[in-house]
Amino acid sequence: MRHSRLFFLAMVFLLLSSGFRMLTAMADEWQPISPEELRMTSVPEAPGAPAVILYRQVDRDDNGRTGNEYNYLRVKILTEEGRKYGDVEIPYFKGRGPSMG
């Protein structure tokens, strides 16, 4: 019985530490902002656009019982109207956790 408790605690520790390492590694991968991006006020592909997506990366982990999705999105706000695209809302439903839909 004591060995099974130790095994369980060791597994929990490993899972938590690997998840923490994944989040830490992802946080270290923020891309630098170039001077050209800072000066950008419009893009030829979308004249008059209030904001544009400069970069998007989606990583999914479907292993185990719960899947995770990590979204990395870089948006350039071009006008005052585009500020609304800088707001991020993460829905939360009591008892269910964040919405994945």
Side-chain angles (χ1 to χ4, degrees), residues 40-43 46-52 75-86:
M40 186 184 302
T41 58
S42 66
V43 291
V52 294
V75 177
K76 173 67 177 182
I77 307 302
L78 301 171
T79 67
E80 191 63 35
E81 179 190 344
R83 286 185 175 272
K84 65 184 176 187
Y85 297 107

Side-chain angles (χ1 to χ4, degrees), residues 14-27:
L14 286 172
L15 288 172
L16 289 175
S17 65
S18 66
F20 179 74
R21 271 182 274 151
M22 178 185 282
L23 290 175
T24 303
M26 292 177 66

Side-chain angles (χ1 to χ4, degrees), residues 46-99:
V52 294
I53 296 174
L54 298 176
Y55 180 81
R56 181 172 185 216
Q57 178 179 334
V58 178
D59 296 316
R60 290 186 179 95
D61 176 10
D62 294 330
N63 295 327
R65 291 174 153 206
T66 59
N68 293 304
E69 181 175 291
Y70 303 96
N71 288 277
Y72 181 94
L73 190 68
R74 293 189 58 204
V75 177
K76 173 67 177 182
I77 307 302
L78 301 171
T79 67
E80 191 63 35
E81 179 190 344
R83 286 185 175 272
K84 65 184 176 187
Y85 297 107
D87 295 335
V88 176
E89 183 177 322
I90 302 172
Y92 180 81
F93 300 97
K94 188 174 181 177
R96 285 187 25 204
S99 171

